């Protein structure tokens, strides 16, 4: 659909943007801020039906979805790069395979979660619910990264 296309364009733009913004020293900060921003944008989605006219709703929804994609690209690319660069050569393949297994496991589980949420709530509301849980996870990860960084210095 058009919304998937907008999200994927945003994801691509976020990936390109990450190449300019992220370096070895600040990647954790960029990922943390982007994950929190992505969650907050998801929390705004349930407000879309409250807007007055359908064209305004569609434009705002497409804008939010595009911005979520950009934030997602700013999370995805630095994390994937770190997974590929950090491990010792002897275990690099194992680490990459394990990371990919976890990602595809999450994709598999998310389909069931999406069906469950959409059974009881409007898709926009379900998006907001996922955003709340994502925000809690993003804050916990940001806090954990910050604590880890202090311990490793």
């Amino acid at each position: 659909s058009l919304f998937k296309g907008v999200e994927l364009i945003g994801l691509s733009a976020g990936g390109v943007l990450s190449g300019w913004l992220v370096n070895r020293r600040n990647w954790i900060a960029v990922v943390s801020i982007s994950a929190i921003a992505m969650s907050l944008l998801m929390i705004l989605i349930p407000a879309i039906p409250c807007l007055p006219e359908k064209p305004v709703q569609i434009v705002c929804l497409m804008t939010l979805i595009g911005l979520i994609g950009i934030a997602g690209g700013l999370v995805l690319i630095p994390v994937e790069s770190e997974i590929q660069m950090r491990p010792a050569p002897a275990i690099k393949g194992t680490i990459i395979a394990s990371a990919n297994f976890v990602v595809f496991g999450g994709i598999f589980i998310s389909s069931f979660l999406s069906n469950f949420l959409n059974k009881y709530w409007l898709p926009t509301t379900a998006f907001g619910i996922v955003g709340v849980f994502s925000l809690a996870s993003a804050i916990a990860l940001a806090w954990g990264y910050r604590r880890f960084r202090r311990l490793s210095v």
Side-chain angles (χ1 to χ4, degrees):
S1 78
L2 184 60
F3 294 115
K4 288 180 186 175
V6 170
E7 183 179 16
L8 291 173
I9 290 169
L11 190 67
S12 299
V16 170
L17 191 58
S18 73
W20 291 323
L21 293 177
V22 177
N23 60 48
R24 195 85 167 129
R25 302 166 98 200
N26 75 349
W27 78 272
I28 290 173
V30 172
V31 167
S32 298
I33 291 166
S34 299
I36 290 169
M38 182 170 54
S39 301
L40 292 172
L41 291 164
M42 290 171 70
I43 291 169
L44 291 175
I45 297 283
I48 296 293
C50 299
L51 295 172
E53 299 172 5
K54 275 282 190 222
V56 174
Q57 291 176 357
I58 291 171
V59 168
C60 288
L61 184 58
M62 288 176 60
T63 301
L64 285 175
I65 295 289
L67 291 172
I68 290 167
I70 291 170
L74 287 167
V75 170
L76 178 68
I77 301 305
V79 170
E80 285 293 324
S81 295
E82 193 67 18
I83 287 170
Q84 292 176 18
M85 298 298 291
R86 183 166 276 220
I91 61 167
K92 187 176 281 203
T94 303
I95 298 296
I96 292 171
S98 299
N100 287 337
F101 176 78
V102 170
V103 166
F104 287 109
I107 292 168
F108 180 73
I109 291 168
S110 72
S111 66
F112 294 106
L113 177 63
S114 176
N115 288 336
F116 173 78
L117 290 173
N118 289 334
K119 183 177 180 180
Y120 297 102
W121 291 288
L122 292 171
T124 53
T125 305
F127 224 108
I129 291 168
V130 172
V132 168
F133 286 106
S134 296
L135 181 60
S137 299
I139 290 170
L141 286 172
W143 179 80
Y145 282 145
R146 188 171 178 202
R147 186 166 180 227
F148 172 76
R149 201 164 181 200
R150 272 189 266 140
L151 294 174
S152 65
V153 172

